[in-house]
Amino acid sequence: MPVGIRIQFDSPYATYYAGQTVTGRVYVSVDKPKRIRAITFNIKGEAQVKWQESENKKDAQGKDYTDYTDFTAQETYYENQYYLFGSANGDVELAQGEYTYPFSSQIPPTAPSSFEGEFGHIRYTVKATLDRPWKFDSDAKAAFTVVAPLDLNGLPQAKEPVEFEKSKSFCCLWCKSGPLTLTVKLPTSGYVPGQTIPFQIEIENGSNIRVRPINCVLRKEVTWHAKNPYSKTNITKTKLADLAVDAEVLPHNSASFSQDLTVPAVPPSNLANCSIIDLQYVLKVEAVVGGLHKNLSARIPIVMGTIPLLTGPTAYKPGGMVVQPSQPVPNPSSPAAPAPTPTPTPAQRDVSPAPPVGGGWNLPAPGDPTTPPAANGSVAPSAPPLYPQLPPPSYEESIFKGNTIKDASDNEYTMGIQDFTPRYPVWSFGPVGPDSPAAAPPKKEA
């Protein structure tokens, strides 16, 4: 390859907390001397929303046609650009050989978590460009994950037990049945990826309708906000985990069931500081009834955090060794180890980058309970020092495949373009008790 350019992050899986510093290297190789203007580096965090809707219309002649409308929105959280080599003035010659250019840029502490979805994304990318006069530029692009910490210990509502009750009666001609009552109980409403959500289901069937089965679904609900050509919202609902209690609750009987669902690798709730994408998690429990009657369901909001509760019935209990080679860093107080540098050749150089235009961002206050360690900007993701008893989580790809990071600024020659799936902290929990009991047999009401 006449010109080669690639990007490597120092964090093994390119995962950082908001407020930390992204570091890495740009590797450039040329097979012979090249005239260039500069090698530039750009880092950006932005969100986009886009979906299309169609409407059947008639034209002035009365003929049918389909009108398509693109609904879009965009916001930028930060963007820095600077020169790794050269400048905007004049050309320079890049001698034959291999070059290594370190880069460093701090993520704003208010940056929202990375997110990839059906109608948009919150995405953080870096791009290095070899600007060549009178020729096609050579560039490379890569994405990294940002996690905005959400400490469940700082959210009172996450610690509170949940009990939801809903009843309905059924009508047949002039008769009205007794009530069917569904009650769902959870020990808390806050959980983290890797944790099991235990819940109790109680059915009091005073009606003449049988109940079977009881469907339980943990799902994410995303609200997309478009601003162009006018304001409009779109809501998508996606299943994360589910189960069915295949037991029958006969008329004038009652039953209770203990169940649980495990939280997969997903981003934290709310996507704070993003105004065009809202995210929430819901546990839905639905009692399916016979005939043409409408099912009875309970919808319970779940708070998804990045740091588990340390007290209460769902407090974190280590599940064994969680520090693995695939994790960004084995020690919360240690800086990230730099990525291995290829063996230098006589023509290879290591060039320090110029500071980004406009300076960096201030780190969060050290005492803020929702921010990870920030004394050293190069610290990779780890448990905050507020909780030294916590081993670091693993960082796993979201269960949903991501999207391509290619955008309008890229072309067919841009290197590194690929689908990107963010990674999120996943905690290893110890056993919380025996396996969930099987559904209790229905008991007749006294």
Side-chain angles (χ1 to χ4, degrees), residues 157-291:
Q157 70 271 27
K159 306 175 186 178
E160 296 297 321
V162 178
E163 181 170 340
F164 182 94
E165 182 178 296
K166 191 173 183 180
S167 298
K168 70 178 299 183
S169 297
F170 304 95
C171 295
C172 181
L173 297 178
W174 299 278
C175 300
K176 183 178 180 180
S177 73
L180 170 64
T181 301
L182 168 65
T183 304
V184 182
K185 300 177 181 179
L186 285 77
T188 59
S189 65
Y191 299 88
V192 294
Q195 188 172 10
T196 294
I197 301 176
F199 55 98
Q200 185 81 13
I201 305 169
E202 298 176 0
I203 300 286
E204 295 285 342
N205 190 0
S207 75
N208 297 318
I209 307 297
R210 72 179 184 93
V211 174
R212 182 174 188 175
I214 303 168
N215 296 323
C216 310
V217 179
L218 176 65
R219 71 188 186 194
K220 69 172 183 178
E221 297 183 354
V222 185
T223 303
W224 312 89
H225 300 274
K227 298 181 179 180
N228 299 300
Y230 52 85
S231 295
K232 190 169 186 179
T233 60
N234 197 341
I235 298 175
T236 56
K237 300 176 182 180
T238 307
K239 179 177 67 178
L240 304 178
D242 67 337
L243 62 87
V245 181
D246 189 21
E248 186 174 51
V249 185
L250 295 173
H252 308 293
N253 277 257
S254 63
S256 62
F257 312 94
S258 294
Q259 300 295 329
D260 58 68
L261 290 169
T262 300
V263 180
V266 291
S269 297
N270 295 333
L271 298 179
N273 300 315
C274 175
S275 67
I276 60 176
I277 304 174
D278 293 329
L279 171 65
Q280 63 176 332
Y281 296 93
V282 171
L283 174 64
K284 183 180 179 181
V285 178
E286 183 176 52
V288 179
V289 297

